[in-house]
Amino acid sequence: MATQQDYGAPSSYSWSASGAGGAYILRVDAKSSTAPASAAWGTTLAYQLMSCTDGTLSVSPSSPQTPGTSIALTAGATCPATAEYRFVVHNPDASVTTLRDYGPASTSAWDTTGLAYGSYGLEVDVRDAGALTSYETKASSTFAVSAAACAKPTLTSDVPSPQGTGATITFTGATATCPTPLYKFWVQTPDKTWHVMRDYSSSPTFSWTASGVGGTYQVEVDVRDVTRPVSYDQYLYIPFVLTPCSGATLSTDKPSPQTAGATVVLTGGASCPRTPQYQFYMQTAAGWSVVQNYGASNMFTWHTTAGGHYRLEVDVRDAGATASYETYADLDFTVDAPCSSARLSASPAGTAGTGSTVVLSATSSGCPTPNYRFLVGHAGRSTVAQAYGPTSTFSWNTAGLAAGVYALEVDARNQGSGAGYEAYSVISSYTLAPCSSVRLTTDKTSPQPTGATVTLTGAGSCRGTPEYRFLVGGSVVQGYGPASTYGWSSAGLAAGTYALEVDVRDQGSPAGYEAWAKLSFTLAGCSAARLTTDKPSPQKAGTPVVVNATATCPGTPEYRFLVNGTVVQPYGMNNSMSWNTTGNAPGAYHLEVDVRNQGSTLGYEAWSAAVYTLTA
């Protein structure tokens, strides 16, 4: 902190705030005139000086300009007080020229007459009036004093468009008005991408080796004077077409197929504007490979060694072109090699249930593209089950075939072969086995009362998927299906012994049955019915009479009461009936009770009757 006014009687101080903008600390110390400085007391005040900011500078006309042009400079800034401006020029030789020293004017003119070509730095310094700093804010701009701009160029080629791919073409540009022109060359490829082929140079010519793909190109020349720091003064582009080879063909001197060891000559052709080059490819099971690199020969001699299916290709392009190809042609060719062996396997092996599906799988060796044919033999006769094809498996559906021993065969030959077979394999004995046994059980033991529901369960021993059929008394009550149980309702059936049967066979088997089991089951009815009354006959008409019944039943008995053949109390659990004789005429009455097992739908299983007389 610097002392601005030493101890004295004046209690005020005038501060000329001419320094740089920023934060300042103001301090005053006070003491008695006779006291030492160490006895003084003081206080401080923070104070902010604002300065000019955000200097700007614009020039007109814009850079570059030729010597003799008057350039108008216009400055601006944000200042808290009155701004003053100073304009300076930084010359190419590093010297500095002041155009106008600090003053209120925000504009200045720069006369470029007689100035050398080069890059000049224009600068404006700005500060508040009264400030002593060199500047508070400034702005600058680079300005080129240069020769005149180049005029729109011309562009010519030494050969006309179109040309074949791979050609070398020389382009020549020309321009005027600029004393020292520079030339830059571009090429736009058919995919619309521009590429710089040669940067700015004093040479107006460019030699283009047109090795790209066929199509329409644009060739451009940009021009500017050497003194002018611009991307370009003027430019011009012209189209140029490169024509590729087209219409490739490929042929062989021998037809397909050929046996391994044959020599096959491939011949390629194409329509090319220049000198064609040919490359030959071959595709095997291992993939594509080049068998003859690009060259002038359009022929390739192929010495076949292994059987198989081949894809042959010729690629063609103009000499000098770098595309992988411009046109191509291909064809398929088969070289036959006989299958040397075959092998057949079955799943399941050896034996399967009737009606099941047996998967036959074949393999072979010696032939690269085998085809297989599957045959099934039985009872001295063999038939083709699946004709020749590339599939090495056959799903043999035995549904409808009888149980027994079958012969299975696979024949193998190379794809395209005319032989009946080249190798074969036989499974001479394959058994289709029926269900061997079945067991029948019931959920209730015999006997059971009439009307009972009995669940029959079959359990078969089968290699395949068993299906069951149930019979009662020789009649089918549930046809063949996957359910191994049957709920037999005996409602409506008379008491007696019934033959229960289950038949089993493999699903898909045409047999009526492959195994069966039977058992006898007895349905027992009510017996020994007896009818009694609580009052002996005769009784006077109008006397109430209770009729009671008993019976022997294996199940739960139910009773029905009749008077003179008319039901007066239907079947129910009550074994007594109150007979109201009021209003009945004197005479003999026929009393009857019918008994049956609960659940039975029979009219009755046992009955008892008595004659009862009513008197006047």
Side-chain angles (χ1 to χ4, degrees), residues 505-537:
R505 67 183 182 187
D506 272 317
Q507 191 177 45
S509 171
Y513 60 87
E514 295 177 346
W516 59 275
K518 285 185 178 182
L519 57 82
S520 295
F521 201 96
T522 299
L523 297 178
C526 294
S527 63
R530 182 171 179 271
L531 177 66
T532 62
T533 58
D534 66 335
K535 296 179 179 72
S537 174

Side-chain angles (χ1 to χ4, degrees), residues 529-595:
R530 182 171 179 271
L531 177 66
T532 62
T533 58
D534 66 335
K535 296 179 179 72
S537 174
Q539 291 289 328
K540 185 177 181 178
T543 303
V545 179
V546 176
V547 182
N548 296 303
T550 61
T552 301
C553 296
T556 301
E558 56 181 13
Y559 302 87
R560 178 176 68 179
F561 292 88
L562 302 92
V563 176
N564 289 340
T566 300
V567 175
V568 294
Q569 181 172 304
Y571 274 116
M573 304 288 291
N574 194 348
N575 68 337
S576 66
M577 184 267 292
S578 295
W579 180 30
N580 184 1
T581 65
T582 301
N584 287 3
Y589 287 81
H590 185 84
L591 305 181
E592 181 181 335
V593 65
D594 297 339
V595 189

